Amino acid sequence: AQTVTQSQPEMSVQEAETVTLSCTYDTSENNYYLFWYKQPPSRQMILVIRQEAYKQQNATENRFSVNFQKAAKSFSLKISDSQLGDTAMYFCAFRSWGKLQFGAGTQVVVTP
Amino acid sequence: GAVVSQHPSRVICKSGTSVKIECRSLDFQATTMFWYRQFPKQSLMLMATSNEGSKATYEQGVEKDKFLINHASLTLSTLTVTSAHPEDSSFYICSARDLGGENTEAFFGQGTRLTVV
């Protein structure tokens, strides 16, 4: 069974600064996908970024980038130039055969 | 991205009654839909996976007679909470995947806050 671990319950960052969220996972699969989802106070789940395990290049989406270390089973998310609208719960997720497995989440609070 | 509509967004029902939650994919066909439950300040817990035209697959510990799932078409799945009790109060979220295959992402509905009084 796969497990996804997010060890940081809450992170605080000032506007325009950078914050990095950690995520580790455990799997015996070789082909899989990793995701970061954002859940703002509205509770709508929003896909932030995705990474295919077979790709060595780290995914980037505007201010969001990942550091994917397959051998270490690590998948961290970096938010650059943080904005107030980035305040949300962030979930790391793993998918191999259809089902998404979520981590416990990290609450990110961006302060002025 | 694709749109998944979940209805209602909030519902209050009396103990012992049943309540139905709908999940619709508006601009794509979803072979597979997923139902999650989320308690306050916790992660999403997968309840069941439904495939169009077949019986849902429930996760361990989820009562299939309590949480009835129907996926009658490629654009609609429903979750019915039967004989609801206060402990069923929670936030329920659906997601749907496009027909495209393994490498396509799932899109989420807005969620339904169920309160059983």
Side-chain angles (χ1 to χ4, degrees), chain B residues 11-100:
Chain B
V11 59
I12 300 173
C13 71
K14 292 185 177 180
S15 285
T17 63
S18 296
V19 61
K20 180 184 286 187
I21 302 169
E22 292 188 347
C23 181
R24 294 181 184 272
S25 56
L26 297 187
D27 51 2
F28 68 99
Q29 292 184 317
T31 47
T32 306
M33 289 187 174
F34 304 89
W35 288 95
Y36 298 87
R37 183 172 180 174
Q38 186 180 30
F39 290 105
K41 299 189 185 299
Q42 293 189 24
S43 188
L44 281 70
M45 299 300 296
L46 181 65
M47 299 173 66
T49 303
S50 74
N51 292 294
E52 184 265 339
S54 62
K55 289 185 178 180
T57 302
Y58 290 82
E59 296 299 302
Q60 194 171 9
V62 178
E63 300 175 61
K64 60 181 180 181
D65 294 331
K66 175 123 185 105
F67 300 99
L68 299 180
I69 291 171
N70 183 280
H71 192 160
S73 77
L74 284 172
T75 59
L76 174 65
S77 176
T78 60
L79 167 68
T80 301
V81 182
T82 63
S83 186
H85 289 99
E87 56 265 30
D88 298 325
S89 297
S90 190
F91 192 69
Y92 294 87
I93 308 175
C94 72
S95 73
R97 281 185 61 199
D98 204 334
L99 279 171

Side-chain angles (χ1 to χ4, degrees), chain A residues 5-32:
Chain A
T5 302
Q6 293 179 251
S7 58
Q8 304 152 313
E10 185 166 333
M11 299 281 284
S12 183
V13 60
Q14 283 193 313
E15 255 185 310
E17 298 297 310
T18 296
V19 63
T20 300
L21 311 183
S22 66
C23 173
T24 59
Y25 58 95
D26 187 24
T27 184
S28 57
E29 302 285 342
N30 193 47
N31 296 317
Y32 52 88

Side-chain angles (χ1 to χ4, degrees), chain A residues 14-69:
Chain A
Q14 283 193 313
E15 255 185 310
E17 298 297 310
T18 296
V19 63
T20 300
L21 311 183
S22 66
C23 173
T24 59
Y25 58 95
D26 187 24
T27 184
S28 57
E29 302 285 342
N30 193 47
N31 296 317
Y32 52 88
Y33 300 84
L34 294 163
F35 305 86
W36 278 98
Y37 283 92
K38 167 184 177 180
Q39 188 179 41
S42 67
R43 303 191 78 170
Q44 172 73 55
M45 293 291 285
I46 301 166
L47 177 66
V48 175
I49 201 165
R50 61 178 276 168
Q51 174 83 42
E52 292 88 343
Y54 63 86
K55 289 187 178 178
Q56 291 186 331
Q57 186 173 8
N58 289 323
T60 299
E61 286 289 344
N62 301 313
R63 298 182 294 108
F64 299 88
S65 61
V66 298
N67 183 1
F68 173 47
Q69 301 289 327

